[in-house]
Amino acid sequence: MIHLPKTSRLMASAALGALMLTAVPAAAEEKPAAASAAASAAKPELGTFGFDLSGMDKSVQPGDDFYAYANGTWAKNTEIPADKSNFGMFTVLADLSQTRTQEILEAARTDPNSMIGRAYAAYLDAATVEAKGLAPIEPWLNQIRTVDKAGLARLLAEADRNGVRHFFGGYVGQDDKNPDVYIYTMFQGGIGMPDRDFYLKENERNTRLQAAYLKHLENVLTLVGEANAAARAQAIYDFEKQIATVHWDKNDSSDATKVYNKMTIAELAAAAPGFDWQTFIRGIGVKEDSLLVSQPSAFTGEAKLLAEAPIGVIRDLLIVRSLDGFSDVLPDAVAQEAFSFYGTALSGTPQMQERWKRAVDFTTNNMGEAVGQDYVARYFPPETKAAMDQLVRNVLAAMGDRIDGLSWMQPETKVKAKKKLANFTTKIGYPDRWKDYSKLEIKADDLFGNALRSNQFAHDDNISRLGGPIRRWEWGMTPMTVNAYANFGMNEIVFPAAILQPPFFDPHADPAINYGGIGAVIGHEISHHFDDQGAKYDETGKLADWWTPADVAAFEAAGKALVAQYDAYEVLPGEKLDGTFTLGENIGDLAGLTVAYEAYKKSLGGKEAPVLDGLTGDQRFFLGWAQVWRRNYREQNLSQRITTDPHAPSIQRTWVSRNLDPWYKAFQVKPGQKLYLTPEERVRIW
Ligand SMILES: [Zn+2]
């Protein structure tokens, strides 16, 4: 799991990567998107105008369940593949990226001079992996087995560099209050399940997961030949539960103000006695004295727990974390064991991906930009970049108009908000300065070593940011990623090549579909910079107070109404959505769809949109929005997301349309229908 600092993504899951700078003026000239000009030139990929009508369920009233109306037949007829926890439009494109990357890697594999070819070949060579057994990881495990309390800080620093998760996480990122300077930021760690709630929240599902996790701990210890595994597994579990108790919850941990705690190493040592912070932080390679500690009380609690715990429990926990972290590059028995908990128990996925898919993912995750150069040359037409650039300008211009028209924002704040918008950097497709992997050694017969050296390379690269200029060219996703993100410190919005495809964007589709798809995605990322966290950052990317108290009060009141709306959604029987945890994403969806709609209307230049297959332009716009959210989940995956995913599930994301007046008119939604809100109940923020 890679931590993307201070960014908000379109959906969960992403990889780390690194350009182009396209500053987009806020007052961009209004023009219809290039998409509309091309619309009649060739056939769209889906249906006759870019929407798959056969996936609708017209027996459902749109006002009762807009998701089911637009997507019900698709949902009923679509099975989730055995190697997936969920399946939808994002997955269809992710599969396409995977297949295309496979073609690139199959070609590279025959070239001994190709780094990505060797990485892929080493992964596919399962026989060599099995023959080596656990030998490649034994030297590291032996370091863990012999560590004492005095050597722990040094060992954890090494674990950090090796990519083994332990009690504290960290990365070098921009200093929120001084965004021209990098700083080392630390966050709580030490638990093997994804969130403290899995240990502490009492319910039937968590009881089952806790038992499965305990069994997993035991199985891993057994696999590496440790005696007395059951009792030792219980001791690890009890220790992790204590750690979970001192952890901050996910809402506090996502609050940019609360997690900004600058301290010196000496101050941290005084606040969190019991652990050798100086040795640990210097061991990581940090030479600066100042750092940011995200959850200070958790650090105090964890340091105390580490001081009190028997060294044996700490060793055992690190052994399990090491095996789980490298499970994918060790013999199949280890990989299957990790998958049985993290894949099956936690996410409901019956089986692991085939080896070639995992080989593609491994290469993409560790040297994604080396693959990305080939990918964009083959699969990203320059016209897409040009059309996207125009769409972004149109949506940004619409956002500017929305800000001008806000009734709740003070005029002086509007000036600043417009300035922030004018300062946006937009990145489209791929970086124009690629990451240099020449220092990374990849061998065709050493999969474990490749994984270890890749982790060390990524760590060293991250630490080397300290003291240097901000690397504004870097990307946090690869071109093959089907996602998008907003980065607050950089004041940027980023759209990788792979999301700029149908159903999100099709140069041959009706503009209404493109505005409802990629237009709303653009709006979503723009709006993140004005969501409950993003709005705290000014036009330079600095965490600062730039609003008047009246603005803050009005914004928070509107936010509260949206929190209540999402709090009320029962996703699974007895399992409700957390409106606070998902607020930033829900503001992104609400404002994003609103601003995309305005941009669509403006693109028509005052003319009425044509009726296609009996559907008006407005109807098609909202159907385009609903279509990108087609997704079926396994129950376990959906349940896990309620606790770990800041995004609402696809059904509820689609329903955000109930806050937009034009949706009511387009589908004749009436009082008494399930999604109906009175005009006063509809939440309007941006
Ligand atoms: Zn988002």
Side-chain angles (χ1 to χ4, degrees), residues 228-270:
N228 205 10
R232 287 163 67 176
Q234 185 66 53
I236 299 175
Y237 184 86
D238 294 344
F239 186 45
E240 287 191 21
K241 189 171 176 180
Q242 287 183 292
I243 293 174
T245 311
V246 303
H247 267 201
W248 283 22
D249 72 20
K250 56 186 183 290
N251 289 335
D252 283 342
S253 290
S254 332
D255 185 320
T257 317
K258 288 182 182 165
V259 298
Y260 189 90
N261 305 291
K262 196 182 257 189
M263 42 180 93
T264 62
I265 298 174
E267 284 165 347
L268 174 61

Side-chain angles (χ1 to χ4, degrees), residues 263-417:
M263 42 180 93
T264 62
I265 298 174
E267 284 165 347
L268 174 61
F275 182 70
D276 184 356
W277 294 104
Q278 178 79 18
T279 299
F280 174 66
I281 290 162
R282 294 297 182 231
I284 282 172
V286 177
K287 296 186 180 71
E288 280 75 359
D289 273 326
S290 274
L291 53 142
L292 293 174
V293 177
S294 300
Q295 302 100 345
S297 66
F299 278 65
T300 306
E302 284 199 45
K304 185 164 181 283
L305 287 168
L306 277 174
E308 290 165 355
I311 189 68
V313 177
I314 296 171
R315 288 175 186 156
D316 286 349
L317 184 150
L318 291 171
I319 287 172
V320 173
R321 219 62 93 224
S322 300
L323 264 290
D324 279 344
F326 286 106
S327 63
D328 205 37
V329 295
L330 289 168
D332 198 48
V334 180
Q336 291 291 352
E337 177 51 41
F339 184 80
S340 74
F341 179 71
Y342 290 101
T344 306
L346 207 50
S347 308
T349 312
Q351 69 189 49
M352 273 174 90
Q353 292 193 100
E354 286 176 67
R355 195 155 189 98
W356 74 262
K357 293 185 181 178
R358 289 161 52 199
V360 165
D361 289 352
F362 174 82
T363 313
T364 303
N365 290 339
N366 289 300
M367 48 215 88
E369 292 199 18
V371 179
Q373 298 178 44
D374 281 347
Y375 176 88
V376 296
R378 291 188 193 203
Y379 300 114
F380 189 58
E383 309 86 81
T384 300
K385 196 162 186 162
M388 184 64 184
D389 197 54
Q390 188 60 54
L391 272 168
V392 171
R393 283 170 200 273
N394 293 354
V395 179
L396 278 169
M399 185 69 181
D401 292 348
R402 296 289 308 180
I403 291 171
D404 285 337
L406 291 175
S407 56
W408 57 267
M409 186 176 255
Q410 302 303 308
E412 64 265 39
T413 316
K414 285 185 183 179
V415 172
K416 292 178 185 164

Side-chain angles (χ1 to χ4, degrees), residues 570-686:
E570 192 174 51
V571 174
L572 287 165
E575 298 183 47
K576 283 192 168 173
L577 205 57
D578 184 336
T580 304
F581 182 47
T582 55
L583 177 60
E585 295 300 336
N586 298 333
I587 292 175
D589 284 344
L590 172 59
L593 192 63
T594 304
V595 78
Y597 177 80
E598 301 256 319
Y600 168 58
K601 295 309 262 190
K602 279 172 78 177
S603 78
L604 295 172
K607 292 197 203 78
E608 198 61 37
V611 172
L612 302 176
D613 285 346
L615 294 164
T616 66
D618 278 17
Q619 288 174 329
R620 297 194 302 276
F621 170 83
F622 288 109
L623 286 170
W625 165 249
Q627 178 172 251
V628 303
W629 296 114
R630 283 183 180 178
R631 179 148 64 147
N632 287 341
Y633 300 88
R634 296 188 190 278
E635 188 188 301
Q636 295 92 328
N637 181 241
L638 192 54
S639 172
Q640 186 204 149
R641 283 168 183 270
I642 296 172
T643 307
T644 61
D645 189 348
H647 306 85
S650 289
I651 292 177
Q652 288 76 20
R653 291 190 79 163
T654 305
W655 289 348
V656 78
S657 61
R658 67 194 296 210
N659 296 291
L660 275 69
D661 297 339
W663 177 74
Y664 287 79
K665 192 157 168 261
F667 295 100
Q668 280 127 39
V669 178
K670 292 180 185 65
Q673 294 186 318
K674 291 189 186 112
L675 292 177
Y676 180 85
L677 295 171
T678 64
E680 298 73 39
E681 289 168 332
R682 295 170 203 167
V683 181
R684 306 159 215 267
I685 302 182
W686 292 101

Side-chain angles (χ1 to χ4, degrees), residues 8-10 524-525 528 585 647:
S8 282
R9 284 166 276 152
L10 180 64
H524 176 98
E525 300 308 337
H528 266 313
E585 295 300 336
H647 306 85

Side-chain angles (χ1 to χ4, degrees), residues 12-218:
S13 100
L16 195 81
L19 169 150
M20 73 152 297
L21 300 178
T22 315
V24 178
E29 205 184 327
E30 296 163 35
K31 274 190 214 117
S36 66
S40 58
K43 216 185 143 312
E45 201 168 296
L46 290 164
T48 54
F49 57 87
F51 180 79
D52 166 34
L53 291 164
S54 69
M56 297 175 76
D57 181 353
K58 290 188 179 164
S59 72
V60 178
Q61 291 298 315
D64 280 332
D65 181 348
F66 187 54
Y67 178 88
Y69 168 75
N71 303 327
T73 301
W74 177 91
K76 211 178 309 159
N77 295 337
T78 303
E79 253 185 76
I80 303 171
D83 62 355
K84 288 181 173 34
S85 63
N86 66 84
F87 186 78
M89 296 298 107
F90 283 88
T91 336
V92 168
L93 289 182
D95 284 350
L96 183 61
S97 278
Q98 209 174 32
T99 310
R100 288 169 165 178
T101 304
Q102 182 197 22
E103 282 169 27
I104 291 167
L105 294 174
E106 281 293 337
R109 196 180 157 188
T110 57
D111 175 5
N113 295 318
S114 166
M115 177 186 67
I116 56 175
R118 292 193 302 275
Y120 180 64
Y123 201 106
L124 288 178
D125 186 2
T128 298
V129 173
E130 293 298 326
K132 288 183 181 180
L134 292 175
I137 199 173
E138 283 295 345
W140 169 244
L141 295 181
N142 285 333
Q143 271 182 266
I144 296 173
R145 288 177 180 122
T146 54
V147 74
D148 56 17
K149 282 278 175 88
L152 184 62
R154 195 174 302 277
L155 181 91
L156 292 186
E158 207 173 328
D160 222 79
R161 183 163 184 262
N162 289 343
V164 173
R165 291 167 53 222
H166 54 91
F167 304 97
F168 314 101
Y171 62 90
V172 175
Q174 285 167 284
D175 181 343
D176 268 3
K177 294 193 177 172
N178 189 10
D180 291 331
V181 173
Y182 280 123
I183 190 165
Y184 190 65
T185 300
M186 298 186 75
F187 53 90
Q188 64 191 16
I191 57 175
M193 290 197 279
D195 187 88
R196 73 196 296 268
D197 283 0
F198 290 97
Y199 298 82
L200 305 176
K201 233 179 165 173
E202 304 280 348
N203 59 46
E204 207 183 306
R205 193 185 294 279
N206 283 349
T207 304
R208 276 202 306 275
L209 280 173
Q210 289 157 9
Y213 182 57
L214 183 61
K215 187 70 192 151
H216 169 64
L217 296 171
E218 181 188 341

